[in-house]
Amino acid sequence: QVQLVESGGGLVQAGGSLRLSCAASGRTFSRYAMDLGWFRQAPGKDREFVADISSSGASILYADSVKGRFTISRDNPKNTVYLQMNSLKPEDTAVYYCKARRVGTSYDYWGQGTQVTVSS
């Protein structure tokens, strides 16, 4: 099993910054290589990809909408993935979800989400 717990969301003014964290735990997470990522879902919209980092940290992908503003990183000894969000815009307002996927499979584990609200 994999448990993912996000934190760090909140209310921030446009142009501000937030750092999200996602702490992972569980037998499956400890036993296998896991890719980690962040997704977000705004009210009335589908969940969308934000960023992804491979198990080693060597491969990173970003959605075009966040390139140059968001940075994903991971601390493997701490089983934690981070999302540093700078230059936030009102359109970044959403519930942000952490996702884990065991390498070589297509099964995803999801956290409960953390709300990010950017005021104009």
Side-chain angles (χ1 to χ4, degrees):
Q1 288 294 339
V2 175
Q3 292 79 44
L4 302 170
V5 179
E6 301 99 331
S7 61
L11 173 64
V12 64
Q13 289 188 332
S17 299
L18 282 175
R19 188 195 196 202
L20 305 183
S21 301
C22 173
S25 61
R27 182 181 303 176
T28 299
F29 191 89
S30 300
R31 184 172 297 181
Y32 300 104
M34 307 288 282
D35 293 334
L36 296 171
W38 289 95
F39 284 68
R40 66 187 182 186
Q41 187 166 19
K45 296 188 177 181
D46 293 333
R47 191 172 297 189
E48 65 174 7
F49 168 78
V50 175
D52 184 81
I53 185 167
S54 63
S55 58
S56 68
S59 178
I60 291 176
L61 295 172
Y62 294 101
D64 288 343
S65 59
V66 307
K67 279 181 182 177
R69 300 188 299 122
F70 291 10
T71 302
I72 189 172
S73 62
R74 64 188 293 167
D75 185 334
N76 284 343
K78 293 183 178 180
N79 291 339
T80 301
V81 62
Y82 304 98
L83 186 68
Q84 177 67 42
M85 306 186 294
N86 299 328
S87 303
L88 282 161
K89 305 175 182 180
E91 51 263 44
D92 294 318
T93 295
V95 177
Y96 283 71
Y97 295 92
C98 177
K99 188 201 81 172
R101 176 180 289 187
R102 179 182 161 187
V103 175
T105 74
S106 58
Y107 189 82
D108 295 330
Y109 301 88
W110 294 93
Q112 83 289 348
T114 185
Q115 176 71 46
V116 171
T117 303
V118 184
S119 63
S120 57

